[in-house]
Amino acid sequence: MRTPAPVTVTLVRGDITLQSVDAIVNAANSSLLGGGGVDGAIHRRGGPEILAACRELRASQYGKGLPTGQAVATTAGKLDARWVIHTVGPIYQVSGNDPSLLASCYRESLRVADELGARTVAFPAISTGVYRWPMDDAARIAVETVRNTPTAVEEVRFVLFDDRAYEAFVRQLG
Ligand code: APR
């Protein structure tokens, strides 16, 4: 296999549910049955097909839910994307602030994207909302992991919902 070109990392200040990409990554929880934040926005705009696909996953290989740091794809429903890749970030303090679980969310999402043949992938700032991971540290882990993970994905787009997140990622891109 030819050595893939390094992935292009882009930053967008906006709403991840409005992105036109192959795959949109969801900051889910282990239940895969929806929630607030990005999760709520994706299910709201993506429609019931996504939840139906998540329920099927829970009824099959994810009977106990999706473990932290892992990723799984479903349809994107009405979103302008082909897939939603659901991943579960670590909760700050609870996970002993172990960066490897947060890094795993990005690495596993890229692995699933490669399995799907996705070439453009939009990520939110995983774990930086309800899961309270400090933004600068989360941005560092996100950018470092994406830059160091071999993938056939051509564009990784970090979609940041507010200035605090956007500026943290700008600082990491250097
Ligand atoms: N587009 C892009 N980013 C968004 C959007 C959106 N529409 N909505 C929220 N965000 C940002 C938040 O501002 C935060 O920076 O996504 C980041 C992650 O926040 P959360 O969505 O709260 O996700 P997380 O911290 O990983 O917590 C996951 O929250 O919503 C529940 O069901 C979810 O239990 C899970 C937990």
Side-chain angles (χ1 to χ4, degrees):
M1 171 172 150
R2 66 177 175 74
T3 312
V7 64
T8 299
V9 178
T10 57
L11 302 183
V12 167
R13 166 85 172 73
D15 181 340
I16 200 167
T17 65
L18 300 177
Q19 302 304 308
S20 303
V21 288
D22 291 337
I24 290 173
V25 175
N26 179 23
N29 59 61
S30 291
S31 78
L32 285 177
L33 301 178
V38 173
D39 203 0
I42 283 174
H43 282 282
R44 251 190 321 277
R45 194 179 299 276
E49 275 180 82
I50 300 175
L51 187 56
C54 288
R55 286 214 170 98
E56 277 171 37
L57 290 169
R58 286 299 312 274
S60 53
Q61 68 260 50
Y62 291 100
K64 292 191 173 55
L66 185 65
T68 299
Q70 293 189 23
V72 68
T74 65
T75 173
K78 299 186 182 64
L79 297 174
D80 193 6
R82 295 179 63 187
W83 302 283
V84 170
I85 295 175
H86 306 264
T87 190
V88 179
I91 302 173
Y92 195 61
Q93 304 295 4
V94 168
S95 62
N97 314 344
D98 173 6
S100 67
L101 279 173
L102 184 54
S104 174
C105 288
Y106 292 95
R107 194 176 310 112
E108 285 302 297
S109 295
L110 287 174
R111 183 184 58 73
V112 170
D114 282 342
E115 282 174 3
L116 297 166
R119 291 287 175 270
T120 55
V121 178
F123 280 98
I126 299 167
S127 285
T128 64
V130 167
Y131 285 0
R132 301 175 48 73
W133 204 281
M135 184 62 75
D136 279 312
D137 193 41
R140 176 184 59 77
I141 293 165
V143 172
E144 278 178 8
T145 305
V146 164
R147 281 179 164 160
N148 294 311
T149 301
T151 174
V153 168
E154 288 159 5
E155 181 199 357
V156 161
R157 188 181 305 175
F158 288 110
V159 184
L160 293 324
F161 207 46
D162 55 39
D163 291 337
R164 180 176 74 100
Y166 185 78
E167 280 144 27
F169 275 75
V170 166
R171 282 195 293 277
Q172 288 308 320
L173 281 191

